[in-house]
Amino acid sequence: MKPRNTLFTLARRVLAVSLVALIFAVNGGVAFAAEEAAVAPAGETAIAPVGQPAPVLTEESYPLLGGGSSRVKVWIVAQLHLFFAAFVLGVPIFVLVIEGIGMATGDKRYDAMAKEFIKISMVAFSFTATLGGILLFLLAMLYPDFTVYSLKIFRPILIAYALLFFGESLCLYIYYYGWEAMSSGFGKWVHLTVGLLLNAAGMTLMVLSNSWATFMMAPSGVTPDGAFLGDVWAVMHGPLWNPINLHRFIANIAYGGSIVGAYAAYKFLTAKAPEEKAHYDWMGYTANFIAVVGLLPLPFAGYWLTKELYAYSQQMGITLMGGIFAWLFIIQALLIGAIFLGANYYLWLGLVRVPGGEAYRKAIGWMATVLLVCFLVWFTPHTIIMTSSEIKALGGAHHPVLGALGVMSAKNTAVNIMILTTFLAFLLYQRAGKIPKVGWARGGNAALAALFAAGAANIVTLGIYGYYIPANIRIGLSVPQVFTTLFVIAAASLINGVMYRGASETGPTRWGDMPARSQYALFLLAVSFTWLMGLMGYVRSGIRQHWHVYTVFRDYSPDAFTPTLGYAANVVSVTVLIFMAMVIFIFWLDNFSRKKAAHK
Amino acid sequence: MKRIPKLALTVGLIAAVYGLFVAVFTYILHLPVPASVMKMYMFFVTVVVLLVMTSNEDSARELVAPLEALVYQPRLRRLRAAVFIVAPLAGFGLTYNVTRPTLDAPLELRTVHPAPPNSVKVFGKTYNLLTLENPYRAKEKSDLEAFRQAVEEGKTVYFQNCHYCHGDKLDGKGHFSGGFNNPLPANFTDVGTIAQLQESFLFWRIATGGPGLPNEGAPWASPMPVWSNYLTEDEIWKVILFLYDYTGYAPRVMKEEKGHS
């Protein structure tokens, strides 16, 4: 269906964007607006508590279930629940946007792709719910006192949670099963509205359950001994709630994109017909785009979360970034680097399918070099493992050059340049095979080159300047670095977009003409994202150390210790393997149902 | 000019980067890259070079062609046999070298930033480290003369007690510093030490010394004395003032960083 006029198209686009903005405003915005609302951190209030103090337990207070550690059982189930939850919350966000784009442009392919995306999340939705139920049972069985304590505090929002879950399920089923019935005219608007409601319910569920996790990390609204003060809003609105909300909102989009990317790759590799390969190639490309778009702002949301965490508790902050968990951040850096490399590699290979893409091949070596240098800086540890002979050769345990790369000035600089390089790869892909018709194309290219050079120079200069100023000012430098990156991305998109409007093409994109290894890059993204979430999820939860609720409700179970990093990494890796097996089952199920349908 | 075959180019590039690291760090800077870091560096250098070399079909085919030929070509029978004998032996040698017992001390995965407790008990009192502030800090604005006097007294405390290890330039290179291995005395002029910390952290570290370090990240092997046994509370606060004054850094203040509060 072709749009009737430009104004109408514009109105539809504005609506599509507004829908997404509204979801965020409904959920996050309310919380942001209430930033100055009274928060009662533990120990800073004279209000009489309405609840009992947190119980003092013994080892006998923790019933056992079979052999093995109770913590590991809860850990694995909770993590699996969160993997699926992130996926089923992320997918409807971009499905709604894609459906909106399809409606605005009249291109039916977007609509079909949006429907296929949501279809994948249907089975995942029931897995999420099932795992959530198992998690609740496990908590009640293995940690009864903690569960009762939490439920008493969060009682006012439990009914809302149950109703929202019911509403989300209802919206999801109507949204999916009503896709064809509401595919045109007013029905399409109704369908979009159902999609919006689905997202609103899902996001509200997420922010509610986030408040449980953030309460355990940074309790508010209770006395120093854990007695509830009676205001559940004060409990929910702790210092880490909004940073986690934002971080998870963005991460869900990136994660959802990476998993549907893996689905597209699976389908591409198993497809036989060229049309089918072309379809899943396009789907994989779109999914990779979504994952990368979600990934780019994620480090900044992470910085905000960590900054608030440091501000809440120096002990927690140092344990996290400089203490026992610091090495997990090196693994995090490696995985993020692997994601950047995978995403870039996919874009480089994408030039194969664009006639005229060869012209940009020369740039690949340079972009790879910049990425590599930044990547090496990004994961260089501050504290380096050395043998005694290496320590002697250096004259100490501190490496004067490499040690300097271990601080945030170097890391921030490296990640911003990596983001810009990834964006450049995307920009070159967009330009491949197109010849601009505007007379100022040469000037436009010069402006783009100058923009990137000036942006990179500014980021590097700020990074170097950071070494000469105190920490509290240095932390502030990450803001202009981020804004430089965002400005370059916005300005370059604008210049490039205007320059290539109405450009002639050297030939149609050969969708499906991609080597198999490009699809493994998509798998790499999905696995790396999952692993990353598992490791960082452990870190987020683990920095409470021997507390159920940090500083107010002590953990007296036999597991009240911080496991070794190797042990934690093993548990996370096993969880990732289980999750991936379940995801492959979902993918296989889709192929299986199609085979049956074809057979009939 | 004859084009270099892709496989040779790949191996050459990886070797060149390795050579560059060795030349710059070992021979020019005399600061060799530790093996643990070098392994990570070279792994990703290899990955990136391979990604670039396989970023289009022609290049990827050219890269693997000699390897395919080695496996399939009948005329390369002798070379194949040699590679299939030498490669596993090389793997065996590598594994043997990595796993064989040595007389070297075991590696230490030490955390350099000990996380402070929420409170510390010294001088017969319990101090809440989350809220503890230097009592002299406010004088920097209210009574500059008294502040300068406190800094001067802190300087005296430093040179009477601390400079033997931490150095007269506060750079961690005092007379005794050569006698320590790991950890070395802290270099206060480094942006990574006191510039990143609150004054309450320094108070805890100075007052409780090496024995007061947390169990997490042990063994610490720090010979720092428990200064609360030798200095007064007042002297500790003054020496902290001096450390920041001399280095020009400002102590980290969390409340200011929160911004919205």
Side-chain angles (χ1 to χ4, degrees):
Chain A
M1 192 180 75
K2 291 281 175 199
R4 279 192 290 265
N5 57 51
T6 316
L7 193 64
F8 192 47
T9 308
L10 183 70
R12 282 170 160 176
R13 283 181 185 165
V14 167
L15 181 86
V17 174
S18 307
L19 291 178
V20 179
L22 187 62
I23 297 167
F24 195 67
V26 166
N27 299 288
V30 171
F32 279 110
E35 187 71 30
E36 298 303 323
V39 178
E44 287 183 19
T45 179
I47 304 167
V50 298
Q52 297 296 313
V56 177
L57 307 177
T58 62
E59 274 196 32
E60 286 69 43
S61 310
Y62 299 88
L64 297 173
L65 180 69
S69 154
S70 297
R71 170 170 60 182
V72 171
K73 292 184 184 102
V74 170
W75 184 352
I76 291 177
V77 173
Q79 192 57 65
L80 286 172
H81 172 63
L82 281 170
F83 285 149
F84 279 110
F87 175 57
V88 298
L89 288 173
V91 170
I93 298 170
F94 56 77
V95 161
L96 186 67
V97 175
I98 293 171
E99 190 190 3
I101 292 171
M103 190 177 167
T105 59
D107 189 339
K108 287 286 179 195
R109 289 184 310 158
Y110 286 105
D111 203 66
M113 181 165 65
K115 191 183 174 193
E116 193 162 358
F117 278 154
I118 204 77
K119 191 178 84 174
I120 309 161
S121 72
M122 294 294 285
V123 181
F125 186 76
S126 37
F127 277 160
T128 313
T130 310
L131 286 162
I134 297 172
L135 176 62
L136 191 60
F137 291 145
L138 280 180
L139 283 173
M141 278 191 286
L142 302 173
Y143 297 90
D145 295 284
F146 166 70
T147 308
V148 169
Y149 173 78
S150 305
L151 292 180
K152 275 183 182 169
I153 290 178
F154 286 99
R155 188 163 39 196
I157 62 170
L158 292 177
I159 295 295
Y161 188 85
L163 289 174
L164 278 164
F165 186 72
F166 183 70
E168 190 194 15
S169 313
L170 201 69
C171 290
L172 179 66
Y173 293 133
I174 296 173
Y175 191 58
Y176 176 67
Y177 289 108
W179 202 291
E180 300 305 331
M182 295 183 278
S183 60
S184 59
F186 182 70
K188 195 63 179 167
W189 286 102
V190 175
H191 191 253
L192 272 177
T193 309
V194 174
L196 177 68
L197 290 173
L198 164 65
N199 276 293
M203 294 302 296
T204 313
L205 276 176
M206 185 192 80
V207 297
L208 287 184
S209 44
N210 283 352
S211 71
W212 306 338
T214 53
F215 172 73
M216 288 169 72
M217 293 168 74
S220 54
V222 291
T223 60
D225 57 3
F228 179 40
L229 289 166
D231 181 1
V232 76
W233 172 247
V235 172
M236 289 169 65
H237 189 214
L240 304 180
W241 190 42
N242 278 330
I244 287 262
N245 286 340
L246 179 69
H247 196 272
R248 283 189 167 168
F249 172 76
I250 300 171
N252 288 350
I253 298 172
Y255 189 57
S258 76
I259 297 292
V260 291
Y263 167 79
Y266 175 84
K267 300 291 283 185
F268 179 92
L269 292 171
T270 53
K272 296 209 168 44
E275 312 80 59
E276 215 182 342
K277 272 200 181 298
H279 173 71
Y280 288 112
D281 185 18
W282 181 59
M283 194 185 219
Y285 168 77
T286 311
N288 180 56
F289 176 74
I290 294 164
V292 172
V293 165
L295 174 68
L296 297 189
L298 208 47
F300 311 133
Y303 291 153
W304 184 35
L305 171 59
T306 315
K307 182 172 173 287
E308 290 300 319
L309 214 140
Y310 260 99
Y312 170 72
S313 162
Q314 182 175 230
Q315 182 192 47
M316 220 180 216
I318 292 177
T319 303
L320 184 79
M321 299 297 289
I324 190 75
F325 292 110
W327 276 91
L328 288 173
F329 280 86
I330 297 299
I331 302 176
Q332 182 211 31
L334 291 175
L335 288 169
I336 292 177
I339 289 172
F340 272 109
L341 284 180
N344 276 274
Y345 186 57
Y346 183 81
L347 286 170
W348 302 341
L349 282 168
L351 291 172
V352 170
R353 60 161 108 84
V354 185
E358 306 81 23
Y360 289 107
R361 276 187 196 166
K362 280 181 191 163
I364 291 174
W366 293 107
M367 289 192 296
T369 307
V370 172
L371 273 179
L372 177 64
V373 171
C374 291
F375 188 20
L376 298 190
V377 171
W378 172 243
F379 72 69
T380 298
H382 186 52
T383 312
I384 295 170
I385 303 173
M386 286 190 256
T387 61
S388 50
S389 54
E390 285 171 338
I391 293 174
K392 275 182 195 152
L394 272 178
H398 180 72
H399 197 294
V401 177
L402 299 182
L405 301 180
V407 297
M408 289 313 285
S409 280
K411 308 292 185 204
N412 282 342
T413 305
V415 79
N416 277 288
I417 300 287
M418 279 162 79
I419 289 172
L420 277 187
T421 310
T422 306
F423 172 70
L424 179 64
F426 175 72
L427 203 68
L428 295 185
Y429 178 82
Q430 290 285 304
R431 293 159 61 108
K434 294 193 184 84
I435 301 159
K437 286 185 174 168
V438 292
W440 49 273
R442 187 183 284 267
N445 282 334
L448 281 172
L451 190 65
F452 272 95
N458 193 39
I459 290 165
V460 173
T461 306
L462 287 169
I464 294 170
Y465 177 57
Y467 282 94
Y468 296 95
I469 53 174
N472 53 344
I473 305 172
R474 178 167 60 243
I475 286 172
L477 284 184
S478 62
V479 177
Q481 282 186 318
V482 169
F483 276 111
T484 305
T485 303
L486 295 178
F487 175 75
V488 171
I489 290 176
S493 301
L494 186 72
I495 295 171
N496 200 62
V498 176
M499 203 161 94
Y500 278 83
R501 183 175 287 169
S504 59
E505 294 190 7
T506 49
T509 304
R510 297 185 297 264
W511 291 110
D513 189 9
M514 280 285 268
R517 61 183 178 280
S518 64
Q519 306 304 306
Y520 292 104
L522 293 179
F523 285 133
L524 174 84
L525 287 186
V527 174
S528 300
F529 265 117
T530 311
W531 222 345
L532 200 55
M533 275 178 66
L535 281 171
M536 291 297 107
Y538 162 65
V539 171
R540 186 200 57 70
S541 186
I543 45 167
R544 284 182 288 115
Q545 299 182 78
H546 51 277
W547 299 94
H548 287 312
V549 180
Y550 192 60
T551 70
V552 302
F553 187 175
R554 196 175 168 126
D555 180 356
Y556 288 92
S557 73
D559 293 319
F561 64 93
T562 304
T564 61
L565 299 183
Y567 180 83
N570 282 340
V571 174
V572 171
S573 301
V574 168
T575 313
V576 171
L577 282 174
I578 297 171
F579 175 73
M580 281 300 157
M582 292 169 88
V583 165
I584 289 168
F585 170 73
I586 295 173
F587 294 172
W588 171 82
L589 210 58
D590 181 67
N591 268 8
F592 186 58
S593 67
R594 285 179 195 225
K595 268 182 199 166
K596 287 281 173 196
H599 185 68
K600 280 179 185 172
Chain B
M1 201 175 79
K2 199 178 171 188
R3 224 164 56 86
I4 308 169
K6 276 282 179 311
L7 186 59
L9 186 63
T10 303
V11 175
L13 268 175
I14 295 167
V17 175
Y18 180 75
L20 193 68
F21 276 127
V22 173
V24 171
F25 284 94
T26 308
Y27 295 105
I28 298 175
L29 298 174
H30 300 290
L31 298 166
V33 179
S36 63
V37 178
M38 186 63 108
K39 279 178 199 162
M40 291 203 293
Y41 281 179
M42 289 317 297
F43 175 78
F44 282 102
V45 166
T46 307
V47 167
V48 171
V49 170
L50 286 174
L51 291 184
V52 173
M53 292 298 169
T54 58
S55 62
N56 66 71
E57 280 305 84
D58 297 340
S59 175
R61 265 195 294 271
E62 193 187 331
L63 179 70
V64 297
L67 300 173
E68 277 179 352
L70 180 73
V71 177
Y72 296 114
Q73 286 284 342
R75 64 184 170 83
L76 296 175
R77 198 173 61 243
R78 284 172 199 279
L79 182 63
R80 179 161 55 239
V83 168
F84 281 12
I85 290 167
V86 171
L89 281 178
F92 166 75
L94 198 69
T95 312
Y96 176 76
N97 263 327
V98 170
T99 55
R100 77 189 158 93
T102 68
L103 295 174
D104 286 345
L107 298 176
E108 280 184 26
L109 183 62
R110 205 171 60 78
T111 53
V112 279
H113 300 294
N118 285 334
S119 62
V120 60
K121 197 169 178 182
V122 280
F123 302 116
K125 287 187 280 184
T126 300
Y127 296 85
N128 181 348
L129 293 179
L130 299 176
T131 54
L132 187 62
E133 288 177 2
N134 191 334
Y136 293 98
R137 183 58 62 187
K139 293 191 188 300
E140 196 172 6
K141 285 177 183 160
S142 63
D143 186 352
L144 192 59
E145 199 177 323
F147 178 78
R148 295 306 322 167
Q149 177 64 27
V151 171
E152 278 304 306
E153 288 171 28
K155 182 178 174 181
T156 305
V157 172
Y158 181 84
F159 281 98
Q160 283 177 346
N161 300 281
C162 317
H163 96 284
Y164 304 104
C165 298
H166 292 284
D168 53 1
K169 291 180 181 168
L170 282 66
D171 54 3
K173 292 178 181 166
H175 305 122
F176 297 162
S177 66
F180 304 120
N181 190 354
N182 187 10
L184 292 172
N187 170 5
F188 301 127
T189 61
D190 187 313
V191 288
T193 59
I194 61 170
Q196 307 233 26
L197 299 166
Q198 290 174 283
E199 288 184 294
S200 63
F201 186 100
L202 271 72
F203 180 83
W204 164 62
R205 282 294 58 254
I206 296 169
T208 63
L213 284 161
N215 290 335
E216 172 205 320
W220 289 100
S222 164
M224 173 118 162
V226 180
W227 285 107
S228 59
N229 293 338
Y230 309 102
L231 300 176
T232 64
E233 180 185 351
D234 228 30
E235 286 172 325
I236 292 180
W237 285 125
K238 285 172 182 169
V239 82
I240 292 172
L241 284 190
F242 169 68
L243 297 183
Y244 283 105
D245 185 71
Y246 181 90
T247 55
Y249 296 131
R252 201 164 182 179
V253 184
M254 290 304 176
K255 282 177 186 164
E256 284 176 10
E257 284 179 20
K258 279 183 93 168
H260 61 266
S261 62

